[in-house]
Amino acid sequence: GLFGSSEFAVRLPSALLSVVAIVLLYFLTLELTGNAWLAFFASMILLFTEPFFMFGSRSTRMDTGTVAAILLATFSLVRGVKRERWLIGIGLGIGIGVMMKSVIGLLAIVPIVLFSALFGHWTWMKNRFFKYGIYLMFFIVVPWHIYESYRFGSAFWDVYLFGHIINRALGAMQTAHYFKNLWNYVQPWTALSLALIPLVMLSRTKDHAKTVAQFGLLSATAILLFFVLIKTKIWWYLLPVYPFMALFIATALFHMGEHVLRFRLKYLTIICGILLVFGAKITITNGFVGVYQQNKYLDDQKNIGLLLWPNNNAEKIVICCWDHQESIKFYSEQSPTGVIQGGYIPAEPHYFIIPTRSLAELYRTTILYTIADVVYGGQYLTLLHAPSPAMLLKSK
């Protein structure tokens, strides 16, 4: 690639796509409200939403690209009401989203349907440019699926459809997980949203800003409920929620300030500025400075990954009690193939990664690891090379 295989090169696409998402939210808000100041405020709320900032600036995942794709599809519909050629972008956005994150890309349908219902625009469904966009979507999505099916046969669908989609969607739910994280890590925006929801819903004043706020709120809520209802709970799954949350906050504040409380624009601007400063302080402190000052385990992950690189998948890599594997995967060019649960120990020699603080407990309960070699002993993580259980008998 242009920047080689460096860590910077791997993180760059996610960072650029997060910028694209912020720009698309600006133009979506501008198209919905006609207010450039309001559009800027919404885009800055998204920028200073801690999880979006963290995963956008540091992540190697394509979730921010999925967010950009969903916003592209939504903006194309809103823009297409006046300029029908933009309706092609609906299919384009959905197609890109599906290629980046499978069925998550289809979540673009949620804001599309809600916008059409709230604003009474359904004629786009019969428009020829929308149909062209659907053809474009299939052109983007189908070839890759055909190629993977030809290359891997039924194994592709077993892993792709049943492993990654159906199995992750079905199973026991932990509904409190996301709500707890939203409260802990998406401030001040979560608290502000909860305060604004009853004010907007109970407001008797009807204006365009209120309808846009309802569109943002319903879109964010519907997408959040989708992730709450599926089995797998992963924090960065919620990234598509935040643009519509930002849209709701910006337009709801504008509605309440200008049309209900009758604030002068300069006072409303000061209030929004204070909120942005507060949000920026929390986001930068926790999502940037904190990562490098408090989470020093990143160095341990990098060092372990580099030590594992010569292994080249020859032996299994097992991780226990540790969820952050991205840096290990990147530097080792391998993925952990198992997690020790219920006392299971691989029968063959393997590498074992465990938090250093858990070593004492491990040595008390698993005799095999008392004869394992310590390949790397860091402050936060330890890498062991364990022999097969048969070697334990020989050592006695």
Side-chain angles (χ1 to χ4, degrees), residues 26 29-30 33-43 209 212 246-247 249-255 272:
Y26 172 87
T29 309
L30 181 63
T33 65
N35 189 321
W37 175 85
L38 192 57
F40 173 78
F41 182 46
S43 63
V212 176
L247 176 65
I249 292 171
T251 50
L253 276 174
F254 182 82
H255 167 74
C272 293

Side-chain angles (χ1 to χ4, degrees), residues 110 114 197 215-226 241 244:
V110 172
L114 288 172
I197 288 173
F215 165 65
L217 174 62
L218 292 174
S219 297
T221 302
I223 295 173
L224 173 61
L225 288 177
F226 169 81
V241 173
F244 298 100

